Amino acid sequence: MFLPVCREDMEKRGWQYLHFLLVSGDAYVDHCSFGTSLIGRYLESLGYRVGILAQPDWKNDDDWLKMGRPAYGVILAAGNMDSMLSHYTAAKKPRKNDAYSPGGKRGLRPDYASVVYCRKAREIFGEKMPLILGGVEASLRRFVHYDYWQDKLLPSVLFESGADLLIYGMAEHATKEVAEILSHKGKVSDCRHIQGLSYIARDSSELPEEYLELPSYEEMLKNKRAFAEGFRMSEREQNFVDGKALVQRHKDCFVVNNRPSKPLSMKEMDALYALPFERAWHPSYDKAGGIPGFSEVKFSITSHRGCFGGCSFCSINFHQGRLIQSRSAESILKEAKLLSEMPDFKGYIHDVGGPTANFRLQVCKKAQTQGPCRDKRCMHPHICNTLPKDSSEYEKLLTDIRKLPKIKAVFVRSGLRFDYAMAEKSRSFLHALCRYHVSGQLKIAPEHVSAPVLSCMGKPKAEVYNAFCKEYNEINRKLHKDQYLVPYFISSHPGSTLKDAIALAEYMRDNRIRPEQVQDFIPTPGSRSTCMYYSGLDPDTMRPVFCAKTPEEKAMQRALLQ
């Protein structure tokens, strides 16, 4: 049974009211890959009555009132992506479709959906209703941030939206604590101690006892170096063990950002992914042809969260975190069996992975007990010596899934760190990958070949990628398999001059690489690369970084690659 989406659904359950109303910019797909569904099912498992309001019309009141006024609060999210990234390309042109909307139709969510939805909810439900922002858009806009589409710094989304609280990152622990307090008639202000939470303090008396103050919004508007310094300070405190609370002044008020939530244990992860998802889009979307984005995950399995790869253009450090949160092999095998029993299953598991597939387990013992390191990254400029380089557990897991009845093959389609694979003493995993888990093409992300650009990206040197290509091709030759690498590259990334773009274009030409696998860099909130793009500085060294900013410069670099 789907979570209620209308009054009729509530009546079928015998409900006269909801405890929490969950608002989402995505269509309602009851699957663990969709954040609103995951939180909805989690709250349901805790005994709360939850309704889903998916892609409501923000221009009138009817949608917002169809399930009545919730008793405890409204939880709002823009969806699985930043709404501006959903709507616009790197050239700031409207995208033709929206993969998370019925039939791929665009325009069913507003620009800056977190702000628009929150303001509408406040208008509908009044000042006393607790409004809680969540999701990746709010998470990565919780501090002062650069907005590429307006080409300017924006204040914390908390100020623009009027939300009472913002739960950032992976939200289960914080959501549970907030729900417990609100359900016991507590006030929003009673939640302010919770890890993984941001809120507005109206004066200094509301600030925590200990905190680190970032440069203010006003300082950042005047000085781009202050923005880079603030980014570096906030990045260092992404530690769930002893990270400091961060405070950022906006005129006479403050945004307070508590340290990140503690990661879920393996037992908690198993319980979360075992919740009774329908694993389907809501039937109301059938006439529109369903939700295009669901096809990518329907027969895929999430094995873990988090990534210690540290790519500069990726915001996972500020959202999922650097600590790997893994499910047990037993939990994953159980899900694989469940998928194999679905009526439209064709025998193929499309993916078993996470942000980076071969980071299956948290291999750094120090990170597990003390949190991530503050002043160094796990994979750059070289792989940390404390990381055991071993994918044998992941290899065994894929093998065990492959041997289940009704399963013909298991593929790996999520990101693969080739430098980590090359650092392993054994090539057993790479051999198994080529023999069993590649469906003709393996997608890989070297991103560039120029050393200065790769350094800005936090990626390994081109020599490592070339060595991986050589081994991959040699293994496939021995296996008598025609399997190819599909590399992804980024144009116009900070650090990339016209000379660097030419070097990449020549590399692609010499290696006969298909040019459609090029993505023009899009500065999205929360990433190190976006900090470089806006400030023109490396936040670690404060040295200048060249950035192609004009449409002409960006178009030239992309044209060279295509």
Side-chain angles (χ1 to χ4, degrees), residues 122 127 158-159 162-164 192 199-207 249-256:
R122 182 64 74 204
E127 292 298 321
L158 274 165
F159 283 97
D164 296 295
R192 290 182 170 184
Y199 61 90
I200 294 174
R202 298 297 174 183
D203 59 61
S204 58
S205 66
E206 299 178 9
L207 297 179
R249 182 187 288 271
H250 292 59
K251 294 185 179 178
D252 296 328
C253 299
F254 305 86
V255 166
V256 180

Side-chain angles (χ1 to χ4, degrees), residues 139-140 142 168 231 234-235 238 315-320 526:
S139 184
L140 299 178
R142 63 188 186 268
Y168 70 89
F231 175 86
S234 61
E235 185 181 54
Q238 297 304 301
S315 303
I316 287 175
N317 179 39
F318 275 87
H319 188 62
Q320 291 195 20

Side-chain angles (χ1 to χ4, degrees), residues 282-493:
H282 194 273
S284 61
Y285 306 132
D286 287 346
K287 289 183 180 179
I291 312 303
F294 180 50
S295 62
E296 293 295 317
V297 298
K298 184 174 182 178
F299 293 114
S300 296
I301 300 174
T302 299
S303 66
H304 63 281
R305 295 174 172 176
C307 180
F308 51 79
C311 299
S312 299
F313 46 82
C314 180
S315 303
I316 287 175
N317 179 39
F318 275 87
H319 188 62
Q320 291 195 20
R322 287 166 59 188
L323 193 90
I324 305 299
Q325 301 168 64
S326 304
R327 297 168 60 187
S328 68
E330 292 76 16
S331 169
I332 294 168
L333 286 165
K334 185 176 180 179
E335 183 173 352
K337 291 176 184 176
L338 186 154
L339 294 179
S340 72
E341 298 296 331
M342 294 177 68
D344 52 347
F345 182 69
K346 306 297 183 183
Y348 301 98
I349 301 291
H350 297 158
D351 188 29
V352 179
T356 302
N358 54 336
F359 291 172
R360 222 311 261 174
L361 297 174
Q362 183 63 42
V363 292
C364 178
K365 293 182 180 179
K366 175 181 177 293
Q368 289 177 306
T369 58
Q370 300 177 38
C373 294
R374 277 185 164 81
D375 296 311
K376 61 181 180 179
R377 287 183 273 178
C378 303
M379 301 289 289
H380 185 78
H382 52 76
I383 301 176
C384 181
N385 291 331
T386 64
L387 285 177
K389 295 82 176 175
D390 183 5
S391 296
S392 58
E393 190 274 347
Y394 183 46
E395 179 186 343
K396 182 179 185 302
L397 174 63
L398 294 173
T399 300
D400 290 344
I401 296 172
R402 191 181 73 244
K403 291 180 177 179
L404 292 173
K406 300 184 181 182
I407 293 180
K408 299 176 183 178
V410 183
F411 300 122
V412 176
R413 291 184 179 176
S414 52
L416 188 82
R417 281 298 292 246
F418 57 84
D419 51 341
Y420 186 79
M422 292 297 290
E424 295 188 42
K425 292 182 180 179
S426 169
R427 290 291 180 264
S428 176
F429 171 68
L430 193 52
H431 277 267
L433 182 75
C434 294
R435 182 184 290 273
Y436 299 112
H437 308 298
V438 176
S439 57
Q441 297 179 335
L442 178 65
K443 295 178 181 178
I444 209 79
E447 311 297 4
H448 217 282
V449 296
S450 169
V453 184
L454 290 169
S455 179
C456 287
M457 291 178 163
K459 297 288 287 187
K461 295 179 180 179
E463 291 80 2
V464 181
Y465 174 66
N466 291 333
F468 177 83
C469 291
K470 183 177 180 181
E471 288 214 25
Y472 177 84
N473 291 330
E474 180 63 20
I475 291 170
N476 279 295
R477 186 188 66 78
K478 291 179 179 179
L479 293 172
H480 305 289
K481 285 179 172 283
D482 292 324
Q483 296 186 144
Y484 306 95
L485 289 172
V486 180
Y488 284 82
F489 295 97
I490 297 178
S491 64
S492 305
H493 188 277

Side-chain angles (χ1 to χ4, degrees), residues 40-59:
R41 287 296 185 186
Y42 179 63
L43 285 170
E44 179 190 45
S45 73
L46 298 175
Y48 298 103
R49 300 177 183 179
V50 181
I52 304 289
L53 182 56
Q55 299 186 317
D57 185 345
W58 63 96
K59 296 177 182 178

Side-chain angles (χ1 to χ4, degrees), residues 5 21-26 52-66 76 105 107-111 113 116-121 123-125 285:
V5 299
L21 177 66
L22 271 58
V23 180
S24 175
D26 291 338
I52 304 289
L53 182 56
Q55 299 186 317
D57 185 345
W58 63 96
K59 296 177 182 178
N60 67 56
D61 300 352
D62 294 345
D63 279 357
W64 296 80
L65 295 169
K66 63 185 179 182
L76 311 99
K105 184 179 179 180
L108 297 182
R109 82 182 86 213
D111 289 353
V116 174
Y117 285 156
C118 208
R119 289 177 176 175
K120 188 64 180 180
E123 175 191 328
I124 295 294
F125 298 113
Y285 306 132

